[in-house]
Amino acid sequence: MSRYFTEDHEWIDVDGDIGTVGISEYAQSQLGDIVFVDVPEDGKELTKGDEAAVVESVKAASDVYAPASGTVLEGNPALSDTPELVNEDPEGDGWFFKITLSDPSELEELMDESAYATFVSKL
Amino acid sequence: MSNASSIDHADAYVEVEPGTLPLDAWHRARGGRMVEFAGYWMPVQYEGIMAEHLWVRGNAGLFDVSHMGQLHLSGEGLDAALERLIPADVAGIKPHHQKYSLLLNEEGGILDDLMLTRWDDGLYMVVNGATKYDDMAHLLDGLPDDVTLNHMDEQALLALQGPKAVDALARLVPGVEELVFLTGARFEWQGASLWISRSGYTGEDGFEISVPADHAEALAEALCAQGEVKPIGLGARDSLRLEADLPLYGHDLDPETTPIMAALNFAVASKRRREEANFPGAARILAERENGSALKRVGLVLDGRQPVREGATVMDDRGAAIGRVTSGGFAPSIGKPIAMAYVPAALSAVGTRVELAQRGKVHTGTVTAMPFVPHRYHRGVK
């Protein structure tokens, strides 16, 4: 399984043609206390770069973009009652949604873990 | 991921590089996350807005509000002259007592909100940071030459807020416990002269402390050495004041908004001032006070967990825009999203259901009495 990152601080884990999407540790630390997450409906078709989810902290709302194109398999059901999971475990239990990838070659444009770490260190 | 709406940069944009305030290095050393606000670098948060907010409601928090304008006015005929610019009963402010008021334009719109205190040698006025230079120009323009205006920019301003603020501050500055809400006095601390009032912007008991800039860091350090006190950022200041029904200038108040629209009727409470009717916009404001204004500021509690933010639209049952959210966020003390909004008078009654639109999504909420969290001011034993 490989993990990729976007410059907008989403991550995607890829296992076969299924991707799991969330936001990075850096992103959650910048957002602060998360109070609400709006995940996409099952079956929604997403094109890479589409607004896929909304994450609300106490002070601000932020859009989460689809790191790759595909069909939403499911949103993380735990986030409706416990959005703070995104603060506690952003790159694990705080995942946002799973997606069936329509074009896995899009992943080649994303950063791997070390490239993302370098990217964040320069922010 | 990208920011869709934020308070970070919501205050007036400035073209120039942000200024630094006396406690700049102290905030950075303490881990404050600095953002540009009202033309200065200021801490938006330390450990997190939620934790800081709840700490203030239960303990005591130290806020640096040195960006605000501290003005001193003096001179012959000051009270009467200032009454031509604001609706307060200035002449009736007793020594060392403090009053909330508003700078108004000729249409009765709000140019700024402010706190006014009678000192032994004139009036001490605290105005908003983003508007202070405009306010000074307005005051100089509207006051006679006999009145002297001094911008006390050599002073820092700290606020210590929360139910344990009195315990912490009285340990350093004995005597402050004698003050009651909206009174102040001068105290000495380590050779510095402090003006301390029992007031603030959180709805809690607490104090505001005007301190010479060269003593600000030592005072902040001494306060935060008290077990009750933690430094608190602007983020929690915003959520605390929102819960406490305290409007924020530039957001909930602006030059298009009158005191009656803003539900600040207590700012035009003086019978003498109403009878004289010689403050800016008096005709309109007094008519609105009598008959109501078309729009009114109300509090909303939203259904669900998603906040609505400044700029969200209030809709009628056909989806037409009839009002606007001016502040909104998640209320840590309530555990629900809340907002301030301007709605037509017909929809302003407590309990009225409203629909709102934000970024293509419809939200629902209920008009709710404010403050959302009861004030806990120390008014003294009556």
Side-chain angles (χ1 to χ4, degrees), chain A residues 8-10 23 27 29-31 33 35-36 38 54 56-65 80 83, chain B residues 1-8 33 44-45 48-51 239 305-307 309 329-330 358-359 361:
Chain A
D8 295 317
H9 308 288
E10 293 92 8
I23 65 169
S29 75
Q30 289 296 306
L31 287 173
D33 300 308
V35 297
F36 178 82
D38 199 10
V54 174
E56 302 254 5
S57 70
V58 176
K59 69 185 169 74
S62 303
D63 291 316
V64 175
Y65 301 110
S80 60
Chain B
M1 200 192 74
S2 80
N3 218 351
S5 70
S6 166
I7 64 155
D8 280 7
R33 184 184 295 168
V44 67
Q45 67 169 63
I49 293 173
M50 195 85 84
S239 54
R305 283 186 62 99
Q306 186 168 20
R309 312 286 181 176
F330 194 80
Q358 173 175 261
R359 286 180 278 124
K361 192 170 163 182

mmCIF file of all heavy atoms in Angstrom, chain A residues 8-10 23 27 29-31 33 35-36 38 54 56-65 80 83, chain B residues 1-8 33 44-45 48-51 239 305-307 309 329-330 358-359 361:
data_model
loop_
_atom_site.group_PDB
_atom_site.id
_atom_site.type_symbol
_atom_site.label_atom_id
_atom_site.label_comp_id
_atom_site.label_asym_id
_atom_site.label_seq_id
_atom_site.Cartn_x
_atom_site.Cartn_y
_atom_site.Cartn_z
ATOM 1 N N ASP A 8 -2.222 20.561 -1.257
ATOM 2 C CA ASP A 8 -3.282 21.112 -0.424
ATOM 3 C C ASP A 8 -3.446 20.312 0.872
ATOM 4 O O ASP A 8 -4.434 20.490 1.586
ATOM 5 C CB ASP A 8 -4.607 21.137 -1.192
ATOM 6 C CG ASP A 8 -4.555 22.083 -2.372
ATOM 7 O OD1 ASP A 8 -4.012 23.190 -2.206
ATOM 8 O OD2 ASP A 8 -5.025 21.698 -3.461
ATOM 9 N N HIS A 9 -2.497 19.395 1.138
ATOM 10 C CA HIS A 9 -2.416 18.685 2.424
ATOM 11 C C HIS A 9 -3.437 17.567 2.596
ATOM 12 O O HIS A 9 -3.733 17.174 3.714
ATOM 13 C CB HIS A 9 -2.471 19.667 3.604
ATOM 14 C CG HIS A 9 -1.474 20.776 3.475
ATOM 15 N ND1 HIS A 9 -0.126 20.589 3.644
ATOM 16 C CD2 HIS A 9 -1.627 22.081 3.123
ATOM 17 C CE1 HIS A 9 0.507 21.727 3.418
ATOM 18 N NE2 HIS A 9 -0.382 22.653 3.091
ATOM 19 N N GLU A 10 -3.968 17.055 1.453
ATOM 20 C CA GLU A 10 -4.702 15.793 1.558
ATOM 21 C C GLU A 10 -3.703 14.641 1.412
ATOM 22 O O GLU A 10 -2.661 14.781 0.780
ATOM 23 C CB GLU A 10 -5.759 15.651 0.440
ATOM 24 C CG GLU A 10 -6.908 16.619 0.521
ATOM 25 C CD GLU A 10 -6.677 17.888 -0.281
ATOM 26 O OE1 GLU A 10 -5.680 17.956 -1.038
ATOM 27 O OE2 GLU A 10 -7.478 18.847 -0.136
ATOM 28 N N ILE A 23 -6.779 14.224 5.673
ATOM 29 C CA ILE A 23 -5.902 15.392 5.670
ATOM 30 C C ILE A 23 -4.694 15.111 6.559
ATOM 31 O O ILE A 23 -4.764 14.280 7.468
ATOM 32 C CB ILE A 23 -6.625 16.684 6.121
ATOM 33 C CG1 ILE A 23 -7.064 16.612 7.578
ATOM 34 C CG2 ILE A 23 -7.807 16.975 5.201
ATOM 35 C CD1 ILE A 23 -7.541 17.959 8.144
ATOM 36 N N ALA A 27 -1.938 19.605 8.302
ATOM 37 C CA ALA A 27 -3.204 20.298 8.065
ATOM 38 C C ALA A 27 -4.019 20.393 9.350
ATOM 39 O O ALA A 27 -4.553 21.458 9.686
ATOM 40 C CB ALA A 27 -4.010 19.583 6.988
ATOM 41 N N SER A 29 -2.967 20.345 12.369
ATOM 42 C CA SER A 29 -2.329 21.238 13.343
ATOM 43 C C SER A 29 -2.582 22.697 12.972
ATOM 44 O O SER A 29 -2.708 23.553 13.842
ATOM 45 C CB SER A 29 -0.833 20.952 13.443
ATOM 46 O OG SER A 29 -0.155 21.467 12.310
ATOM 47 N N GLN A 30 -2.670 22.977 11.678
ATOM 48 C CA GLN A 30 -2.965 24.342 11.243
ATOM 49 C C GLN A 30 -4.420 24.709 11.511
ATOM 50 O O GLN A 30 -4.726 25.848 11.855
ATOM 51 C CB GLN A 30 -2.666 24.494 9.744
ATOM 52 C CG GLN A 30 -1.181 24.486 9.416
ATOM 53 C CD GLN A 30 -0.457 25.678 10.024
ATOM 54 O OE1 GLN A 30 -0.826 26.814 9.822
ATOM 55 N NE2 GLN A 30 0.577 25.400 10.808
ATOM 56 N N LEU A 31 -5.326 23.744 11.329
ATOM 57 C CA LEU A 31 -6.755 24.034 11.502
ATOM 58 C C LEU A 31 -7.123 24.238 12.960
ATOM 59 O O LEU A 31 -7.987 25.040 13.288
ATOM 60 C CB LEU A 31 -7.592 22.886 10.948
ATOM 61 C CG LEU A 31 -7.646 22.776 9.435
ATOM 62 C CD1 LEU A 31 -8.372 21.487 9.044
ATOM 63 C CD2 LEU A 31 -8.357 23.987 8.844
ATOM 64 N N ASP A 33 -8.866 22.984 16.549
ATOM 65 C CA ASP A 33 -9.970 22.115 16.981
ATOM 66 C C ASP A 33 -11.029 21.947 15.904
ATOM 67 O O ASP A 33 -11.689 22.913 15.521
ATOM 68 C CB ASP A 33 -10.627 22.708 18.234
ATOM 69 C CG ASP A 33 -9.648 22.826 19.378
ATOM 70 O OD1 ASP A 33 -9.008 21.818 19.696
ATOM 71 O OD2 ASP A 33 -9.532 23.936 19.940
ATOM 72 N N VAL A 35 -14.592 20.772 14.559
ATOM 73 C CA VAL A 35 -15.914 20.621 15.176
ATOM 74 C C VAL A 35 -16.937 20.003 14.230
ATOM 75 O O VAL A 35 -18.022 19.618 14.658
ATOM 76 C CB VAL A 35 -16.449 21.980 15.684
ATOM 77 C CG1 VAL A 35 -15.543 22.523 16.783
ATOM 78 C CG2 VAL A 35 -16.567 23.004 14.559
ATOM 79 N N PHE A 36 -16.594 19.889 12.959
ATOM 80 C CA PHE A 36 -17.566 19.347 11.997
ATOM 81 C C PHE A 36 -16.835 18.909 10.732
ATOM 82 O O PHE A 36 -15.930 19.601 10.277
ATOM 83 C CB PHE A 36 -18.609 20.400 11.627
ATOM 84 C CG PHE A 36 -19.608 19.934 10.603
ATOM 85 C CD1 PHE A 36 -20.709 19.184 10.981
ATOM 86 C CD2 PHE A 36 -19.426 20.217 9.255
ATOM 87 C CE1 PHE A 36 -21.617 18.733 10.030
ATOM 88 C CE2 PHE A 36 -20.334 19.767 8.305
ATOM 89 C CZ PHE A 36 -21.429 19.026 8.701
ATOM 90 N N ASP A 38 -17.949 17.386 6.830
ATOM 91 C CA ASP A 38 -18.989 17.011 5.868
ATOM 92 C C ASP A 38 -18.333 16.124 4.821
ATOM 93 O O ASP A 38 -17.507 16.598 4.039
ATOM 94 C CB ASP A 38 -19.549 18.287 5.222
ATOM 95 C CG ASP A 38 -20.912 18.057 4.572
ATOM 96 O OD1 ASP A 38 -21.492 16.972 4.783
ATOM 97 O OD2 ASP A 38 -21.373 18.961 3.868
ATOM 98 N N VAL A 54 -15.871 19.072 3.463
ATOM 99 C CA VAL A 54 -15.654 20.332 4.174
ATOM 100 C C VAL A 54 -15.250 19.997 5.600
ATOM 101 O O VAL A 54 -15.832 19.111 6.222
ATOM 102 C CB VAL A 54 -16.937 21.202 4.189
ATOM 103 C CG1 VAL A 54 -16.743 22.445 5.055
ATOM 104 C CG2 VAL A 54 -17.326 21.599 2.776
ATOM 105 N N GLU A 56 -14.584 21.881 9.311
ATOM 106 C CA GLU A 56 -14.794 23.137 10.033
ATOM 107 C C GLU A 56 -14.053 23.078 11.362
ATOM 108 O O GLU A 56 -14.278 22.177 12.164
ATOM 109 C CB GLU A 56 -16.294 23.337 10.330
ATOM 110 C CG GLU A 56 -17.173 23.345 9.099
ATOM 111 C CD GLU A 56 -17.665 24.742 8.732
ATOM 112 O OE1 GLU A 56 -17.236 25.727 9.380
ATOM 113 O OE2 GLU A 56 -18.488 24.823 7.795
ATOM 114 N N SER A 57 -13.206 24.059 11.596
ATOM 115 C CA SER A 57 -12.610 24.225 12.921
ATOM 116 C C SER A 57 -13.425 25.274 13.663
ATOM 117 O O SER A 57 -14.398 25.807 13.123
ATOM 118 C CB SER A 57 -11.149 24.646 12.797
ATOM 119 O OG SER A 57 -11.093 25.964 12.300
ATOM 120 N N VAL A 58 -13.056 25.560 14.907
ATOM 121 C CA VAL A 58 -13.791 26.578 15.652
ATOM 122 C C VAL A 58 -13.830 27.869 14.848
ATOM 123 O O VAL A 58 -14.842 28.544 14.784
ATOM 124 C CB VAL A 58 -13.142 26.826 17.036
ATOM 125 C CG1 VAL A 58 -13.861 27.946 17.768
ATOM 126 C CG2 VAL A 58 -13.171 25.562 17.872
ATOM 127 N N LYS A 59 -12.715 28.210 14.203
ATOM 128 C CA LYS A 59 -12.634 29.536 13.595
ATOM 129 C C LYS A 59 -12.844 29.570 12.096
ATOM 130 O O LYS A 59 -13.071 30.651 11.562
ATOM 131 C CB LYS A 59 -11.299 30.181 13.945
ATOM 132 C CG LYS A 59 -10.095 29.547 13.294
ATOM 133 C CD LYS A 59 -8.804 30.208 13.811
ATOM 134 C CE LYS A 59 -7.585 29.449 13.394
ATOM 135 N NZ LYS A 59 -7.254 29.616 11.980
ATOM 136 N N ALA A 60 -12.745 28.453 11.392
ATOM 137 C CA ALA A 60 -12.766 28.551 9.939
ATOM 138 C C ALA A 60 -13.298 27.284 9.285
ATOM 139 O O ALA A 60 -13.260 26.199 9.858
ATOM 140 C CB ALA A 60 -11.362 28.832 9.413
ATOM 141 N N ALA A 61 -13.790 27.465 8.046
ATOM 142 C CA ALA A 61 -14.206 26.331 7.217
ATOM 143 C C ALA A 61 -13.168 26.132 6.126
ATOM 144 O O ALA A 61 -12.663 27.102 5.568
ATOM 145 C CB ALA A 61 -15.561 26.617 6.594
ATOM 146 N N SER A 62 -12.842 24.894 5.806
ATOM 147 C CA SER A 62 -11.880 24.611 4.749
ATOM 148 C C SER A 62 -12.430 23.524 3.846
ATOM 149 O O SER A 62 -13.116 22.609 4.296
ATOM 150 C CB SER A 62 -10.548 24.142 5.331
ATOM 151 O OG SER A 62 -10.034 25.109 6.215
ATOM 152 N N ASP A 63 -12.123 23.650 2.548
ATOM 153 C CA ASP A 63 -12.506 22.613 1.598
ATOM 154 C C ASP A 63 -11.420 21.556 1.517
ATOM 155 O O ASP A 63 -10.232 21.859 1.594
ATOM 156 C CB ASP A 63 -12.695 23.239 0.210
ATOM 157 C CG ASP A 63 -13.913 24.150 0.164
ATOM 158 O OD1 ASP A 63 -14.966 23.751 0.708
ATOM 159 O OD2 ASP A 63 -13.811 25.243 -0.405
ATOM 160 N N VAL A 64 -11.861 20.331 1.338
ATOM 161 C CA VAL A 64 -10.938 19.223 1.094
ATOM 162 C C VAL A 64 -11.176 18.759 -0.338
ATOM 163 O O VAL A 64 -12.318 18.507 -0.731
ATOM 164 C CB VAL A 64 -11.180 18.071 2.093
ATOM 165 C CG1 VAL A 64 -10.308 16.879 1.768
ATOM 166 C CG2 VAL A 64 -10.932 18.564 3.523
ATOM 167 N N TYR A 65 -10.106 18.679 -1.121
ATOM 168 C CA TYR A 65 -10.231 18.363 -2.544
ATOM 169 C C TYR A 65 -9.933 16.892 -2.809
ATOM 170 O O TYR A 65 -9.147 16.264 -2.090
ATOM 171 C CB TYR A 65 -9.260 19.231 -3.351
ATOM 172 C CG TYR A 65 -9.513 20.710 -3.171
ATOM 173 C CD1 TYR A 65 -8.608 21.511 -2.477
ATOM 174 C CD2 TYR A 65 -10.673 21.297 -3.662
ATOM 175 C CE1 TYR A 65 -8.847 22.863 -2.299
ATOM 176 C CE2 TYR A 65 -10.919 22.648 -3.484
ATOM 177 C CZ TYR A 65 -10.000 23.432 -2.801
ATOM 178 O OH TYR A 65 -10.247 24.761 -2.620
ATOM 179 N N SER A 80 -19.196 11.982 11.955
ATOM 180 C CA SER A 80 -20.368 12.814 12.222
ATOM 181 C C SER A 80 -20.525 13.067 13.719
ATOM 182 O O SER A 80 -20.908 14.160 14.129
ATOM 183 C CB SER A 80 -21.630 12.194 11.620
ATOM 184 O OG SER A 80 -21.846 10.918 12.180
ATOM 185 N N PRO A 83 -15.952 14.375 15.233
ATOM 186 C CA PRO A 83 -15.058 15.035 14.277
ATOM 187 C C PRO A 83 -13.654 15.252 14.837
ATOM 188 O O PRO A 83 -12.699 15.401 14.075
ATOM 189 C CB PRO A 83 -15.775 16.366 14.004
ATOM 190 C CG PRO A 83 -16.675 16.596 15.167
ATOM 191 C CD PRO A 83 -17.091 15.224 15.629
ATOM 192 N N MET B 1 -6.588 20.822 0.460
ATOM 193 C CA MET B 1 -7.373 21.528 1.459
ATOM 194 C C MET B 1 -7.082 23.021 1.370
ATOM 195 O O MET B 1 -5.955 23.415 1.221
ATOM 196 C CB MET B 1 -6.929 21.028 2.838
ATOM 197 C CG MET B 1 -7.924 21.285 3.914
ATOM 198 S SD MET B 1 -7.154 20.994 5.510
ATOM 199 C CE MET B 1 -6.114 22.428 5.669
ATOM 200 N N SER B 2 -8.095 23.822 1.446
ATOM 201 C CA SER B 2 -7.838 25.259 1.435
ATOM 202 C C SER B 2 -8.882 25.973 2.257
ATOM 203 O O SER B 2 -9.976 25.472 2.482
ATOM 204 C CB SER B 2 -7.857 25.807 0.024
ATOM 205 O OG SER B 2 -9.188 26.005 -0.382
ATOM 206 N N ASN B 3 -8.508 27.153 2.687
ATOM 207 C CA ASN B 3 -9.355 27.926 3.561
ATOM 208 C C ASN B 3 -10.571 28.450 2.814
ATOM 209 O O ASN B 3 -10.436 29.110 1.805
ATOM 210 C CB ASN B 3 -8.524 29.102 4.066
ATOM 211 C CG ASN B 3 -8.832 29.397 5.500
ATOM 212 O OD1 ASN B 3 -9.765 28.829 6.045
ATOM 213 N ND2 ASN B 3 -8.074 30.262 6.089
ATOM 214 N N ALA B 4 -11.757 28.180 3.327
ATOM 215 C CA ALA B 4 -12.961 28.714 2.695
ATOM 216 C C ALA B 4 -13.453 29.973 3.398
ATOM 217 O O ALA B 4 -14.037 30.839 2.789
ATOM 218 C CB ALA B 4 -14.058 27.661 2.703
ATOM 219 N N SER B 5 -13.223 30.075 4.664
ATOM 220 C CA SER B 5 -13.595 31.286 5.389
ATOM 221 C C SER B 5 -12.834 31.281 6.692
ATOM 222 O O SER B 5 -12.601 30.245 7.275
ATOM 223 C CB SER B 5 -15.087 31.345 5.673
ATOM 224 O OG SER B 5 -15.439 30.379 6.645
ATOM 225 N N SER B 6 -12.441 32.451 7.148
ATOM 226 C CA SER B 6 -11.587 32.496 8.322
ATOM 227 C C SER B 6 -11.693 33.842 9.002
ATOM 228 O O SER B 6 -11.930 34.850 8.360
ATOM 229 C CB SER B 6 -10.152 32.237 7.902
ATOM 230 O OG SER B 6 -9.273 32.576 8.937
ATOM 231 N N ILE B 7 -11.493 33.862 10.311
ATOM 232 C CA ILE B 7 -11.420 35.149 10.995
ATOM 233 C C ILE B 7 -10.005 35.697 10.981
ATOM 234 O O ILE B 7 -9.784 36.841 11.307
ATOM 235 C CB ILE B 7 -11.878 35.065 12.470
ATOM 236 C CG1 ILE B 7 -10.954 34.160 13.280
ATOM 237 C CG2 ILE B 7 -13.311 34.663 12.576
ATOM 238 C CD1 ILE B 7 -10.966 34.497 14.753
ATOM 239 N N ASP B 8 -9.042 34.850 10.622
ATOM 240 C CA ASP B 8 -7.640 35.266 10.766
ATOM 241 C C ASP B 8 -7.363 36.632 10.165
ATOM 242 O O ASP B 8 -6.707 37.461 10.744
ATOM 243 C CB ASP B 8 -6.716 34.266 10.077
ATOM 244 C CG ASP B 8 -6.492 33.047 10.934
ATOM 245 O OD1 ASP B 8 -7.159 32.953 11.986
ATOM 246 O OD2 ASP B 8 -5.680 32.223 10.586
ATOM 247 N N ARG B 33 0.673 31.368 18.080
ATOM 248 C CA ARG B 33 0.695 31.364 16.608
ATOM 249 C C ARG B 33 0.287 32.754 16.137
ATOM 250 O O ARG B 33 -0.846 33.175 16.349
ATOM 251 C CB ARG B 33 -0.251 30.311 16.055
ATOM 252 C CG ARG B 33 -0.171 30.211 14.530
ATOM 253 C CD ARG B 33 -1.170 29.234 13.973
ATOM 254 N NE ARG B 33 -0.894 27.875 14.400
ATOM 255 C CZ ARG B 33 -1.751 26.879 14.230
ATOM 256 N NH1 ARG B 33 -2.908 27.070 13.659
ATOM 257 N NH2 ARG B 33 -1.442 25.665 14.645
ATOM 258 N N VAL B 44 -3.119 34.267 17.536
ATOM 259 C CA VAL B 44 -4.491 33.782 17.335
ATOM 260 C C VAL B 44 -4.790 32.630 18.290
ATOM 261 O O VAL B 44 -5.923 32.447 18.706
ATOM 262 C CB VAL B 44 -4.742 33.397 15.864
ATOM 263 C CG1 VAL B 44 -3.920 32.194 15.441
ATOM 264 C CG2 VAL B 44 -6.215 33.152 15.598
ATOM 265 N N GLN B 45 -3.749 31.874 18.644
ATOM 266 C CA GLN B 45 -3.960 30.804 19.620
ATOM 267 C C GLN B 45 -2.630 30.330 20.193
ATOM 268 O O GLN B 45 -1.573 30.578 19.626
ATOM 269 C CB GLN B 45 -4.684 29.614 19.001
ATOM 270 C CG GLN B 45 -3.878 28.867 17.938
ATOM 271 C CD GLN B 45 -4.525 27.542 17.557
ATOM 272 O OE1 GLN B 45 -5.617 27.521 17.040
ATOM 273 N NE2 GLN B 45 -3.835 26.440 17.813
ATOM 274 N N GLY B 48 -4.744 25.949 21.660
ATOM 275 C CA GLY B 48 -5.928 25.604 20.884
ATOM 276 C C GLY B 48 -7.121 26.402 21.368
ATOM 277 O O GLY B 48 -7.275 26.620 22.575
ATOM 278 N N ILE B 49 -7.948 26.841 20.435
ATOM 279 C CA ILE B 49 -9.029 27.761 20.771
ATOM 280 C C ILE B 49 -10.004 27.144 21.771
ATOM 281 O O ILE B 49 -10.428 27.786 22.726
ATOM 282 C CB ILE B 49 -9.763 28.201 19.489
ATOM 283 C CG1 ILE B 49 -8.815 29.045 18.626
ATOM 284 C CG2 ILE B 49 -11.019 28.999 19.819
ATOM 285 C CD1 ILE B 49 -9.371 29.394 17.260
ATOM 286 N N MET B 50 -10.353 25.870 21.546
ATOM 287 C CA MET B 50 -11.338 25.216 22.418
ATOM 288 C C MET B 50 -10.830 25.176 23.865
ATOM 289 O O MET B 50 -11.542 25.573 24.790
ATOM 290 C CB MET B 50 -11.573 23.796 21.901
ATOM 291 C CG MET B 50 -12.783 23.145 22.460
ATOM 292 S SD MET B 50 -14.252 23.570 21.527
ATOM 293 C CE MET B 50 -14.153 22.368 20.211
ATOM 294 N N ALA B 51 -9.600 24.709 24.046
ATOM 295 C CA ALA B 51 -9.043 24.594 25.403
ATOM 296 C C ALA B 51 -8.888 25.978 26.035
ATOM 297 O O ALA B 51 -9.172 26.159 27.227
ATOM 298 C CB ALA B 51 -7.700 23.872 25.361
ATOM 299 N N SER B 239 -14.543 33.722 20.146
ATOM 300 C CA SER B 239 -15.621 32.786 20.504
ATOM 301 C C SER B 239 -16.235 33.156 21.857
ATOM 302 O O SER B 239 -17.446 32.993 22.057
ATOM 303 C CB SER B 239 -15.117 31.336 20.493
ATOM 304 O OG SER B 239 -13.982 31.158 21.314
ATOM 305 N N ARG B 305 -24.249 20.330 13.664
ATOM 306 C CA ARG B 305 -22.943 20.724 14.210
ATOM 307 C C ARG B 305 -22.189 21.693 13.320
ATOM 308 O O ARG B 305 -21.163 22.227 13.705
ATOM 309 C CB ARG B 305 -22.062 19.473 14.404
ATOM 310 C CG ARG B 305 -22.422 18.650 15.626
ATOM 311 C CD ARG B 305 -21.425 17.522 15.826
ATOM 312 N NE ARG B 305 -20.074 17.996 16.058
ATOM 313 C CZ ARG B 305 -19.508 18.105 17.267
ATOM 314 N NH1 ARG B 305 -20.167 17.769 18.342
ATOM 315 N NH2 ARG B 305 -18.263 18.539 17.388
ATOM 316 N N GLN B 306 -22.666 21.915 12.084
ATOM 317 C CA GLN B 306 -21.871 22.743 11.174
ATOM 318 C C GLN B 306 -22.120 24.220 11.414
ATOM 319 O O GLN B 306 -23.255 24.689 11.329
ATOM 320 C CB GLN B 306 -22.187 22.404 9.714
ATOM 321 C CG GLN B 306 -21.272 23.145 8.744
ATOM 322 C CD GLN B 306 -21.351 22.621 7.324
ATOM 323 O OE1 GLN B 306 -22.308 21.957 6.934
ATOM 324 N NE2 GLN B 306 -20.318 22.926 6.556
ATOM 325 N N PRO B 307 -21.067 25.000 11.688
ATOM 326 C CA PRO B 307 -21.247 26.441 11.894
ATOM 327 C C PRO B 307 -21.602 27.151 10.586
ATOM 328 O O PRO B 307 -21.250 26.699 9.501
ATOM 329 C CB PRO B 307 -19.873 26.911 12.376
ATOM 330 C CG PRO B 307 -19.134 25.685 12.769
ATOM 331 C CD PRO B 307 -19.672 24.591 11.900
ATOM 332 N N ARG B 309 -20.904 31.017 8.983
ATOM 333 C CA ARG B 309 -19.901 32.052 9.225
ATOM 334 C C ARG B 309 -20.413 33.394 8.736
ATOM 335 O O ARG B 309 -21.418 33.487 8.037
ATOM 336 C CB ARG B 309 -18.612 31.709 8.476
ATOM 337 C CG ARG B 309 -18.134 30.273 8.654
ATOM 338 C CD ARG B 309 -17.535 30.031 10.023
ATOM 339 N NE ARG B 309 -17.062 28.651 10.162
ATOM 340 C CZ ARG B 309 -16.418 28.202 11.231
ATOM 341 N NH1 ARG B 309 -16.197 29.002 12.265
ATOM 342 N NH2 ARG B 309 -16.024 26.949 11.309
ATOM 343 N N GLY B 329 -19.797 30.825 14.560
ATOM 344 C CA GLY B 329 -18.759 29.858 14.863
ATOM 345 C C GLY B 329 -19.299 28.806 15.799
ATOM 346 O O GLY B 329 -20.476 28.812 16.155
ATOM 347 N N PHE B 330 -18.426 27.913 16.187
ATOM 348 C CA PHE B 330 -18.801 26.867 17.116
ATOM 349 C C PHE B 330 -18.616 27.412 18.525
ATOM 350 O O PHE B 330 -17.582 27.995 18.835
ATOM 351 C CB PHE B 330 -17.932 25.636 16.886
ATOM 352 C CG PHE B 330 -18.458 24.404 17.570
ATOM 353 C CD1 PHE B 330 -19.492 23.673 17.007
ATOM 354 C CD2 PHE B 330 -17.927 23.988 18.782
ATOM 355 C CE1 PHE B 330 -19.985 22.535 17.633
ATOM 356 C CE2 PHE B 330 -18.420 22.858 19.420
ATOM 357 C CZ PHE B 330 -19.447 22.129 18.837
ATOM 358 N N GLN B 358 -25.281 28.905 2.872
ATOM 359 C CA GLN B 358 -23.840 29.118 2.921
ATOM 360 C C GLN B 358 -23.188 28.141 1.966
ATOM 361 O O GLN B 358 -23.353 26.935 2.094
ATOM 362 C CB GLN B 358 -23.331 28.894 4.348
ATOM 363 C CG GLN B 358 -21.824 28.926 4.491
ATOM 364 C CD GLN B 358 -21.401 28.828 5.942
ATOM 365 O OE1 GLN B 358 -21.094 29.817 6.582
ATOM 366 N NE2 GLN B 358 -21.391 27.615 6.472
ATOM 367 N N ARG B 359 -22.448 28.667 1.023
ATOM 368 C CA ARG B 359 -21.714 27.847 0.047
ATOM 369 C C ARG B 359 -22.599 26.724 -0.523
ATOM 370 O O ARG B 359 -22.240 25.563 -0.528
ATOM 371 C CB ARG B 359 -20.438 27.281 0.689
ATOM 372 C CG ARG B 359 -19.370 28.376 0.837
ATOM 373 C CD ARG B 359 -18.093 27.885 1.463
ATOM 374 N NE ARG B 359 -18.184 27.841 2.902
ATOM 375 C CZ ARG B 359 -17.968 26.777 3.653
ATOM 376 N NH1 ARG B 359 -17.627 25.633 3.105
ATOM 377 N NH2 ARG B 359 -18.077 26.836 4.941
ATOM 378 N N LYS B 361 -25.309 25.365 0.503
ATOM 379 C CA LYS B 361 -25.970 24.434 1.409
ATOM 380 C C LYS B 361 -26.950 25.187 2.304
ATOM 381 O O LYS B 361 -26.685 26.311 2.715
ATOM 382 C CB LYS B 361 -24.908 23.736 2.258
ATOM 383 C CG LYS B 361 -25.413 22.539 3.033
ATOM 384 C CD LYS B 361 -24.243 21.782 3.644
ATOM 385 C CE LYS B 361 -24.734 20.845 4.750
ATOM 386 N NZ LYS B 361 -23.631 20.140 5.399
#
